[in-house]
Amino acid sequence: MKTSNFPIFTVKSDPSDAEVVSHKLMIKSGMIRKLSSGQYTWLPLGLRVIDKIQDIVRNELNRIDCREILMPLIQPNELWKESGRWSEYGPELLRFKDRHEREFCFGPTFEEVITDLLRQDLSSYKQLPINLFQISTKFRDEIRPRFGVMRSREFIMKDAYSFHASASCLDISYSKYMKAYKNIFNSLMLDFTMVDADSGNIGGSESHEFHVIANTGEDDLLLDDSNNGMNIEIAKEKYQEENLEKIVGKSGMTLKKGIEVGHIFKLGTKYSKPMNLRFTDENSKINDVFMGCYGIGISRVVAAAIEQNYDDKGIIWPKTMSPFQVALIELDSKKNTGIREYTENIYKALKNNGVDVIHDNRDLKLGNKLADWELIGIPNILIIGQKETENKNITLKRRDEEEKREVASEFINDSSLTV
RNA sequence: CGGGGUGUAGCGCAGCUUGGUAGCGCGGCUGGUUUGGGACCAGUAGGUCGUAGGUUCGAAUCCUAUCACCCCGACCA
C-alpha cells in the first residue's frame, strides 16, 4: 500500500465536538467522520482496524465451529410481537412503516430473526447443536449518543447464537464461547475483565460481560486485585446496598471503570418457547430449543482500545489491530532517484515478507510524516533518505520508544514487523 | 424529556455587550527558496455569518421562532 493511493486524512486541531480521547484521536487520525449524531463513516484507515478485529473474532469463532451468516438489517414487526418484545422494548427500537403500511424496525439485535430462521429448518436433535454468527451494522435509537463510536446509534456488532437440545448442552457451549471471548480479547492485547452481569433487555438466566478497563468507561465494576468481580447492578443486589462506598466496604473490593465490549447470555427457552422453535428428541418427544447469544461491539472495541493505549502524540495500537505494522517513510526522493529506488526495494522486500506496510511517498517533510504516523499509531516507522540510501541501512522509530536508531537493511526480516 | 452550552471559510476560533456590510491561525492553490521532528517569502482562491421571519435607512451583532450539534441527568449492549 502506498499513500499515493491510500488517502490519509489527518487533521491538526482537536475537533470541537469531541470530548473523550478516543473520539478526538479517531477524528484527528482520519479513521472516522461524523454524518450526524451517533452516526459515523469509517474511512479507509479506520476500516482497516475494524477488519483486523473482525479477522480475530472470525478466527476464534471458527475454532469453536460457529458459522457465519448475514441477516437483514430491517425486521418485520410480526416476529417482535411473537417474542413479546414489540411492546417490551423501548423507544430504542426504531420503528417505521413501509409504503404498504406494514410495520418494521431497524434491528438492534437478532434473536427474533434467527429464531424464525431456525424454526424453518430445525426439526431433529440430530441437527443440534447449531452455532451461527454474523457481523453487521446494528441500529439502536440511543437516548443520547456520545463519545464518537463508543455509544453510537449505528454500530458494528458481532452477534452469535447457539441452539441446543438441553440446558446442559447450552452450558457446555456457553463456556466455549466464554473461552473464545477470552482468546479474542487476549489476541487484541487489551486489558480486560469478565464480570457477572444482569441479562437486561435480552433476557435469560445467566450472563457475563467483558469490559475493557479504562478510566473513561461508562460502567462501574466491582473488582478484586486480579480484576475478577461483577458489574455494579449485580453488586447492589448481592450486598443489598445502593451506596457505592458501602458496597466497596462490605465487599473489600475496588470500584473500577469499564467499557463493555462483549456480553454473553444463556437465553434458555426465552425465545424458542414463544416463537415455537422446537425439535424432536431421541424419544420422539417434542422439546423447546435451548439458546444462547453472544455479542461483541466491534466498533466499540476500536474506541476502547484507544482509551487504553495513547499518549500526547496520538494512538498507540496494540499490534494485532493496528491498521499497518510498518510505515515506510521516503524522504527527499525528488532530488535523488537513488533514494526512490532504494526505498522501493525495501518496500517490495517487506511486502514479500508478508509485512503489512504503508509506503509514505508524499512530498512532505520528516516532521509532518512522523507526526502523522505517530498520531495514527503505527508500531514501527522506517525512515529512508539520503543517509540511509548511502549507508544501505534504515532508521527505525518505534511507536513505544523515544529514540530513533539505525538498523541494517536486513532488519526488514525481523519478526517484530509481523503480527 | 429536563438543565447548560455552541452554530461565522475545509478545520479551530475572534467579532456580537455598544448595529455601519466580516477577520485571525491552520489547511488549499501558484511561483520561488528550503528540506533528517509539524519550513520561509510572495501571490491567490474560498463565507447567502445554521435556517426563517421581525425591528431598522442599515443586522453576524437586537427580537421571535425553528433546526442541528455538544455536555450533565434519567435510560441502555
Side-chain angles (χ1 to χ4, degrees), chain A residues 86-195:
Chain A
W86 189 253
S87 50
E88 280 171 24
Y89 220 102
E92 258 192 6
L93 186 66
L94 182 58
R95 304 149 209 249
F96 64 97
K97 290 178 182 169
D98 71 1
R99 62 168 76 194
H100 306 295
E101 294 291 302
R102 269 190 78 191
E103 287 198 274
F104 291 87
C105 62
F106 284 98
T109 176
F110 283 72
E111 284 78 13
E112 282 82 359
V113 174
I114 199 154
T115 303
D116 175 65
L117 177 78
L118 266 286
R119 69 182 168 183
Q120 298 173 46
D121 293 291
L122 174 62
S123 47
S124 160
Y125 74 95
K126 293 172 187 167
Q127 295 169 290
L128 295 173
I130 292 174
N131 290 276
L132 299 170
F133 78 99
Q134 70 170 346
I135 298 177
S136 66
T137 299
K138 310 295 191 286
F139 189 96
R140 294 183 188 173
D141 196 1
E142 289 288 336
I143 293 178
R144 182 151 83 88
R146 67 187 115 169
F147 305 152
V149 299
M150 190 88 83
R151 175 172 297 280
S152 51
R153 306 205 300 165
E154 272 194 52
F155 57 100
I156 302 168
M157 183 166 98
K158 183 284 298 177
D159 46 328
Y161 305 85
S162 68
F163 304 86
H164 312 275
S166 69
S168 57
C169 293
L170 169 58
D171 290 346
I172 293 166
S173 190
Y174 188 83
S175 21
K176 278 188 190 170
Y177 279 95
M178 192 182 281
K179 184 79 200 326
Y181 269 43
K182 287 177 178 174
N183 290 343
I184 287 168
F185 294 114
N186 278 326
S187 297
L188 292 170
M189 303 169 81
L190 296 172
D191 182 17
F192 73 99
T193 181
M194 185 190 82
V195 298

Side-chain angles (χ1 to χ4, degrees), chain A residues 280-310:
Chain A
T280 308
D281 68 17
E282 59 269 43
N283 303 314
S284 299
K285 258 193 73 190
I286 292 173
N287 294 312
D288 295 323
V289 172
F290 284 81
M291 292 171 57
C293 77
Y294 318 88
I296 290 180
I298 303 281
S299 41
R300 185 182 281 183
V301 166
V302 179
I306 296 172
E307 290 296 329
Q308 211 170 64
N309 300 282
Y310 69 93

Side-chain angles (χ1 to χ4, degrees), chain A residues 172-311:
Chain A
I172 293 166
S173 190
Y174 188 83
S175 21
K176 278 188 190 170
Y177 279 95
M178 192 182 281
K179 184 79 200 326
Y181 269 43
K182 287 177 178 174
N183 290 343
I184 287 168
F185 294 114
N186 278 326
S187 297
L188 292 170
M189 303 169 81
L190 296 172
D191 182 17
F192 73 99
T193 181
M194 185 190 82
V195 298
D196 294 333
D198 191 27
S199 49
N201 227 339
I202 309 293
S205 60
E206 189 179 352
S207 96
H208 291 86
E209 290 171 350
F210 290 77
H211 287 262
V212 167
I213 298 167
N215 294 330
T216 43
E218 292 187 87
D219 298 315
D220 286 308
L221 307 175
L222 188 67
L223 301 180
D224 65 19
D225 294 339
S226 326
N227 281 338
N228 295 313
M230 62 202 86
N231 80 13
I232 202 64
E233 282 74 30
I234 295 282
K236 283 174 182 171
E237 253 173 64
K238 181 170 177 183
Y239 294 101
Q240 291 292 301
E241 179 60 62
E242 283 294 312
N243 183 294
L244 297 188
E245 283 175 21
K246 287 184 183 164
I247 292 177
V248 170
K250 279 187 184 177
S251 63
M253 291 155 88
T254 331
L255 273 184
K256 287 188 183 172
K257 290 283 186 185
I259 300 167
E260 186 187 347
V261 288
H263 202 155
I264 58 178
F265 305 80
K266 284 185 191 175
L267 297 173
T269 59
K270 179 180 159 84
Y271 296 91
S272 55
K273 195 184 281 289
M275 294 186 68
N276 296 317
L277 173 60
R278 300 185 231 163
F279 69 100
T280 308
D281 68 17
E282 59 269 43
N283 303 314
S284 299
K285 258 193 73 190
I286 292 173
N287 294 312
D288 295 323
V289 172
F290 284 81
M291 292 171 57
C293 77
Y294 318 88
I296 290 180
I298 303 281
S299 41
R300 185 182 281 183
V301 166
V302 179
I306 296 172
E307 290 296 329
Q308 211 170 64
N309 300 282
Y310 69 93
D311 64 13

